[in-house]
């Protein structure tokens, strides 16, 4: 059997995820390890995030966007990190970040929805599966420790499967007072279907109560929220975080810098919030496909094929490297 470069890289990511995959439960977890999957919806430009500045043809091919990485950290003789990824540079220097360049799924068309479906489902074509790769991993855990959490309005495909998954999305509505919560708890007390769902929702809200109402608008707030939901003994051990806005068809320079800065703040706040637990945490950042080398007429880039995947965490065995 001939293995493609993509297969080798994705196999390595799967092995890393399996090694760090935690046993998550609202009761005390059986392991301190934690897994966070951050999806970049919209096709993030890997050539800007981790620029191959050591390639003599890169500047001519990239033209107006060739200097996006100016002032960024040099990772090695070939690659330069975007300057907005300051925390990423620090983690790379501490061997707590590994960047895999030119990573793609088998999908080769240009639909964001189809591309995300393949990335999350792990199939070879869109809508081949109705469950996700994280959801399938959850089934390998002991039955009492299979719960996971998505910071999203609904359960993303990556977490779907036979194991029920909770979601949490900061609300724009005023927070319910304790009296209302108590009344609803009493109302659902004898309901076999709704009581477990209500108890799960109340527990999640309690874990996030110190920063409720931030609406997830800021990367640092989102990272702080994720940490608050994972750090307690009864907190999540498997989590998925949705981020959007990565489709930079126009005005890429400023828009992408803001997106990467938000991602960097998310990771930095997650690291700070977890404290020593960061050493047992693996964060995987991935997008559905990449963008073209060529700049279009509106200062942006169009849909391409491969992009950059990021592995971050305190216990990486191969940190401080770029796979290309």
């Amino acid at each position: 059997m001939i293995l493609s470069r993509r297969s080798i890289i994705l196999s390595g990511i799967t092995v890393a995820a399996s090694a760090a995959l935690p046993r998550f439960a609202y009761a005390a977890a059986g392991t301190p390890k934690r897994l966070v999957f951050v999806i970049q919806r919209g096709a993030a430009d890997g050539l800007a995030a981790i620029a191959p500045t050591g390639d003599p043809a890169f500047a001519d091919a990239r033209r107006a966007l060739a200097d996006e990485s100016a002032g960024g950290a040099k990772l090695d003789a070939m690659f330069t990190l975007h300057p907005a990824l300051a925390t990423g540079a620090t983690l790379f220097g501490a061997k707590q970040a590994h960047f895999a360049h030119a990573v793609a799924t088998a999908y080769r068309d240009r639909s964001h929805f189809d591309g995300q479906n393949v990335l999350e489902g792990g199939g070879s074509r869109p809508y081949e599966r109705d469950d996700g790769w994280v959801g399938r991993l959850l089934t390998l855990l002991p039955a009492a420790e299979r719960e996971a959490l998505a910071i999203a309005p609904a359960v993303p495909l990556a977490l779907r499967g036979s194991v029920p998954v909770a979601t949490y999305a900061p609300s724009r509505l005023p927070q319910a007072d304790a009296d209302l919560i108590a009344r609803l708890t009493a109302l659902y007390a004898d309901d076999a279907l709704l009581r477990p769902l209500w108890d799960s929702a109340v527990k999640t809200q309690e874990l996030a109560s110190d920063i409720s109402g931030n609406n997830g608008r800021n990367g640092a707030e989102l990272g702080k929220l994720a940490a608050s939901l994972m750090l307690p003994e009864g907190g999540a051990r498997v989590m998925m975080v949705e981020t959007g806005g990565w489709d930079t068809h126009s005005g890429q320079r400023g828009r992408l810098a803001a997106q990467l800065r938000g991602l960097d703040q998310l990771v930095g706040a997650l690291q700070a919030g977890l404290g020593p637990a960061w050493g047992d945490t693996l964060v995987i950042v991935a997008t559905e496909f990449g963008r073209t080398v060529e700049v279009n007429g509106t200062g942006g880039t169009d849909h391409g094929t491969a992009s950059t995947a990021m592995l971050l965490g305190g216990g990486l065995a191969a940190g401080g490297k770029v796979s290309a």
Side-chain angles (χ1 to χ4, degrees):
M1 180 176 65
I2 299 176
L3 292 176
S4 67
R5 178 182 168 282
R6 168 190 163 271
S7 299
I8 294 172
I9 290 177
L10 291 183
S11 295
I13 292 176
T14 301
V15 170
S18 299
L21 184 67
R23 300 174 181 177
F24 161 82
Y26 279 126
T31 173
K33 294 186 180 296
R34 294 162 171 84
L35 172 66
V36 181
F37 174 39
V38 180
I39 187 168
Q40 298 168 294
R41 297 196 185 279
D45 186 0
L47 289 172
I50 317 292
T53 52
D55 185 336
F58 176 71
D60 287 341
R62 200 64 167 175
R63 299 189 302 163
L65 296 180
D67 63 345
E68 277 187 295
S69 60
K74 289 285 293 181
L75 302 179
D76 55 26
M78 175 61 71
F79 294 104
T80 301
L81 194 63
H82 194 285
L85 296 172
T87 297
T90 300
L91 293 175
F92 188 86
K95 300 188 183 304
Q96 295 182 14
H98 185 131
F99 303 116
H101 223 305
V103 173
T105 67
Y107 182 70
R108 291 295 177 268
D109 292 321
R110 297 293 178 262
S111 165
H112 291 294
F113 301 107
D114 290 354
Q116 290 167 23
N117 186 275
V118 174
L119 173 64
E120 295 184 69
S124 59
R125 62 182 183 273
Y127 308 102
E128 181 180 39
R129 306 193 61 108
D130 57 7
D131 58 0
W133 65 270
V134 183
R136 294 193 294 276
L137 283 174
L138 291 174
T139 65
L140 304 177
L141 303 179
E145 301 178 349
R146 290 178 176 177
E147 296 186 54
L149 177 68
I151 299 183
V155 178
L157 175 61
L159 279 171
R160 293 179 197 166
S162 59
V163 179
V165 173
T167 64
Y168 178 80
S171 175
R172 297 176 184 271
L173 298 175
Q175 175 128 356
D177 60 36
D179 181 65
L180 177 58
I181 297 296
R183 289 173 181 272
L184 289 173
T185 299
L187 178 65
Y188 296 141
D190 298 323
D191 192 308
L193 176 62
L194 294 179
R195 179 176 178 178
L197 298 175
W198 176 252
D199 288 347
S200 176
V202 170
K203 176 63 176 180
T204 301
Q205 178 60 34
E206 288 174 352
L207 290 172
S209 60
D210 59 332
I211 52 173
S212 60
N214 67 63
N215 297 318
R217 293 176 177 175
N218 178 277
E221 292 174 338
L222 189 56
K224 184 180 179 183
L225 170 62
S228 75
L229 293 168
M230 300 195 85
L231 184 59
E233 183 179 354
R237 291 298 183 270
V238 177
M239 179 178 289
M240 180 171 173
V241 180
E242 290 189 323
T243 66
W246 296 95
D247 195 7
T248 52
H249 277 295
S250 62
Q252 172 167 307
R253 184 185 299 276
R255 291 177 56 203
L256 184 62
Q259 288 290 119
L260 291 173
R261 190 173 300 109
L263 174 64
D264 197 66
Q265 291 170 347
L266 189 162
V267 173
L270 180 62
Q271 179 194 18
L274 290 176
W278 175 254
D280 289 312
T281 300
L282 172 66
V283 180
I284 301 174
V285 182
T287 192
E288 65 265 30
F289 48 74
R291 310 196 72 83
T292 56
V293 179
E294 186 74 11
V295 181
N296 62 31
T298 59
T301 52
D302 298 319
H303 297 174
T305 300
S307 190
T308 297
M310 305 180 188
L311 301 177
L312 311 159
L316 285 183
K321 296 181 180 179
V322 180
S323 297

